[in-house]
Amino acid sequence: MAAIPTQRETGSRACDAPAHPGAGPRARGRATLPGSPLAPGSARALLRAAFAEWAEQGLTEPAASARLAEDAMAVVGELVTNAVLHAGTEVVVDWRLEETGAFLVEVEDQHPARAPRDPGGEPTQEASEHGRGLRLVATLAESWGVTYRTDAKTVWARLPAGGRARPRPPAAAPALETAEALAPRPYGTADGRDWLGRGALSFLAEASDLLAGQLDESLVTALTGQLVVPRLADWCAVWLEDEATVRGGDGNAPARVWHASEDRAEELARALEKEPPCPREGLRSGPEPYPWPGDALGPRGARGTALAYRLIAGGRPLGTLVIGRCGAERFPDEVTGLVEDLGRRVALAIGAARQYARQATISAVLQRGLLPGAVAEIPGVSSALVYEPRDQGGPSGDFYDLFPAGDGRWCFAVGDVQGKGPEAAVVIGLARPWLRLLAREGYRVADVLDRLNQLLLDDATEAADAAARALVAAGGRPVAAGDGPQTRFLSLLYGELTPHEGGVRCTLASAGHPLPLVLRPDGEVRTAARPQTLLGVVEDETYTSETVELGPGDSLLCVTDGVTERRSGSRQFDDGDGLARALSGCAGLSAELIAERIRRLVHEFGGGLPEDDLALLVLQAG
């Protein structure tokens, strides 16, 4: 039977130190995290919150707390990253502040067969791809080690009271200020050399978190400049590519140029525009030599060295990052490796931002096609609309319409499709044109719902038949979840308005939708329809309509369930006729003010961003 490795065999220091000290802790915490790339960032956030709480409680010395917290977050990030990379299982993080002021953190995974990488050995290919193993832990900890059990492995580290790490920027700092604070001291200084030895991995981890949250490639390039200059280089530039075409200006200009001396940036940009990067064949991230733009950097910048890094993500080139250092014949290997690691993260962030931009553009075009370009103006009727999709970047499940139907009639609709995204878009794409067509063909309200219900059922049947044929063609293999036809239910409030002398006749019907409310000028509120079945559910369902007369000053309120089901804890906005009470308080207001007040009350009720799409339509007789 193979011997279980000891702590000394795994390369830990001070291996005689116990993983669990005898003294009781001042404070402690514990969390279980999924074995995913998000785990290191989550662990650092948990420790950040713990140290802030301990400081408020007076458990840590103010002068040393920030330094110890910084070191602790760097260590826990490395330990969790190590566990995710080498075990891939759920990770348990246990931390405690000892009575001595020292800090102990333990990271447990369920894969005891693999030992952590040895910080004292030769770097492997894996280490070059993912970092420098546990060298950062070995540098910051006064002792660390590994505890093995039959079903788990725990890597622990104890940090001395206090530490030398920089304090972090405030959590609320803007992204560019955060990037500036994250970056190291210039590597030519003593602080910079010390940072390269112990803070590089923490810098990369925090830079990853910062870049991953950006969905604008212009901001990604701006953050890149702040992270690189002047700490790793005197200047840098980023060119962006869109497949075979270089973006920016006339095709050669860099998208972003940074210089430690801002008065040199413009002249440097002009010089770099004349020397766009010419990457070699193939997908190689670099670094590659780049011509030195000495004339643009003044007398002190006549000599120096520059390197170009190709920004590659998903096997596609997205751009090039160029860095330069004045008066240097070469960059230290630690810097070139660090910038290459940073470049990979920049490329991933640019790729994600572009994917988001493409999806947002597609969704915006699709959304415009699903909603009317404008709502109709009706003689003797004022209208107001509030439409707030929850996902601004994707098609909403809510829709509305208000259009002329001919013969002195106008029709309106407020609907809500089950689900979101493409499936919802398909249903709305069917419903809106058919509503208009049937109304203009002279069909009355109940008949329109009858036919639209049958249309949705027929379309669902055709989709199911197509899926069955595809299944047979695939040799009977099962269809993956989400690939088959989706049930297409539609809740709809649909009505017809006929203005006449003295008011407006409104004929309407609700199919599984929140019932419309009528507000009289004296504040009286009553419902204007009765509940009926959702569209697309029951074959041959027969719908009926109601007719109400709207006199001068009467208002009709139509909403989706994003209004009625807005939550605050366990309560919903419409509990206890909450919507009717809110509407009653709108007596005497115009249609626009009614819509705005209801919208505001709904937002204030939940205290946060709405969790569903929100649409409401107010029609008021003149």
Side-chain angles (χ1 to χ4, degrees), residues 386-389 392 562-563 566-568 573 595-612 614 616:
V386 172
Y387 178 72
E388 296 179 350
Q392 297 293 335
V563 172
R566 169 73 156 146
R567 301 194 70 87
S568 177
F573 185 76
E596 175 55 29
R597 175 173 288 188
I598 298 298
R599 185 201 70 81
R600 177 174 54 81
L601 291 174
V602 170
H603 276 268
E604 291 174 352
F605 180 79
L609 293 176
E611 297 179 356
D612 196 3
L614 186 153
L616 66 90

Side-chain angles (χ1 to χ4, degrees), residues 125 127-132 196 203-204 208 211 224 228 232 283-288 307-313 321-323 331-348:
Q125 176 63 31
S128 69
E129 286 297 317
H130 297 292
R132 299 168 177 81
L196 285 172
F203 163 71
L204 285 174
S208 296
L211 292 168
T224 302
V228 171
L232 298 176
L283 296 176
R284 186 176 183 277
S285 59
E288 300 286 348
L307 296 174
Y309 296 81
R310 201 83 186 275
L311 302 176
I312 299 168
L321 168 65
V322 174
I323 64 171
F331 280 95
D333 292 342
E334 295 88 347
V335 172
T336 59
L338 182 59
V339 174
E340 186 170 1
D341 283 344
L342 178 63
R344 293 192 184 101
R345 290 154 173 78
V346 170
L348 289 172

Side-chain angles (χ1 to χ4, degrees), residues 29-407:
R30 182 182 177 90
T32 301
L33 305 173
S36 76
L38 299 178
S42 299
R44 289 191 296 272
L46 288 169
L47 285 196
R48 185 180 300 119
F51 272 95
E53 182 179 350
W54 296 343
E56 290 178 0
Q57 296 172 353
L59 298 178
T60 56
E61 292 293 334
S65 176
R67 297 192 300 271
L68 180 59
E70 182 71 14
D71 284 353
M73 285 184 284
V75 167
V76 79
E78 287 312 296
L79 294 181
V80 174
T81 297
N82 185 81
V84 170
L85 288 175
H86 293 276
T89 68
E90 197 172 62
V91 176
V92 178
V93 184
D94 198 315
W95 62 90
R96 46 193 167 277
L97 185 67
E98 299 179 358
E99 287 295 340
T100 61
F103 177 80
L104 179 70
V105 61
E106 300 174 346
V107 175
E108 176 188 290
D109 63 63
Q110 285 73 54
H111 199 310
R114 286 177 168 179
R117 286 171 284 169
D118 184 354
E122 290 297 319
T124 62
Q125 176 63 31
E126 183 179 39
S128 69
E129 286 297 317
H130 297 292
R132 299 168 177 81
L134 295 176
R135 291 179 182 174
L136 177 62
V137 176
T139 300
L140 295 179
E142 66 177 9
S143 60
W144 73 279
V146 188
T147 301
Y148 288 95
R149 292 187 294 277
T150 57
D151 59 348
K153 174 179 88 270
T154 300
V155 185
W156 59 269
R158 182 182 293 114
L159 280 63
R164 295 182 302 154
R166 294 177 294 102
R168 290 176 50 82
L176 288 174
E177 294 179 11
T178 303
E180 183 175 358
L182 280 178
R185 297 288 185 266
Y187 70 81
T189 66
D191 285 347
R193 288 190 295 271
D194 178 65
W195 180 88
L196 285 172
R198 76 185 196 94
L201 288 178
S202 178
F203 163 71
L204 285 174
E206 299 288 357
S208 296
D209 290 346
L210 180 65
L211 292 168
Q214 312 307 326
L215 298 176
D216 181 340
E217 67 178 71
S218 296
L219 184 53
V220 171
T221 58
L223 292 172
T224 302
Q226 286 282 51
L227 289 166
V228 171
V229 177
R231 285 88 185 168
L232 298 176
D234 291 327
W235 59 267
C236 78
V238 178
W239 281 260
L240 295 177
E241 303 173 26
D242 188 358
E243 296 183 352
T245 304
V246 179
R247 292 187 178 190
D250 60 3
N252 293 328
R256 178 75 63 168
V257 174
W258 285 89
H259 195 289
S261 300
E262 292 186 9
D263 57 348
R264 291 286 180 188
E266 186 174 345
E267 189 175 354
L268 175 61
R270 288 196 296 267
L272 296 177
E273 184 176 344
K274 301 174 184 177
E275 290 280 355
C278 298
R280 297 181 181 180
E281 291 295 328
L283 296 176
R284 186 176 183 277
S285 59
E288 300 286 348
Y290 179 84
W292 183 251
D295 293 342
L297 300 175
R300 293 187 178 181
R303 294 175 55 257
T305 185
L307 296 174
Y309 296 81
R310 201 83 186 275
L311 302 176
I312 299 168
R316 297 178 57 190
L318 302 179
T320 301
L321 168 65
V322 174
I323 64 171
R325 174 67 71 179
C326 297
E329 295 183 358
R330 59 185 297 273
F331 280 95
D333 292 342
E334 295 88 347
V335 172
T336 59
L338 182 59
V339 174
E340 186 170 1
D341 283 344
L342 178 63
R344 293 192 184 101
R345 290 154 173 78
V346 170
L348 289 172
I350 291 173
R354 289 186 179 180
Q355 179 64 29
Y356 176 82
R358 285 192 293 269
Q359 186 61 48
T361 300
I362 293 171
S363 297
V365 172
L366 183 59
Q367 188 74 62
R368 285 197 297 269
L370 298 177
L371 297 175
V375 295
E377 294 186 5
I378 308 173
V381 177
S382 59
S383 64
L385 174 76
V386 172
Y387 178 72
E388 296 179 350
R390 177 178 180 272
D391 181 4
Q392 297 293 335
S396 164
D398 289 4
F399 72 97
Y400 62 88
D401 207 352
L402 180 59
F403 59 91
D407 299 327

Side-chain angles (χ1 to χ4, degrees), residues 16 27 38 261 267 289 406 411 423 459 490 512:
D16 293 333
L38 299 178
S261 300
E267 189 175 354
C411 293
E423 278 294 328
D459 185 71
L490 169 64

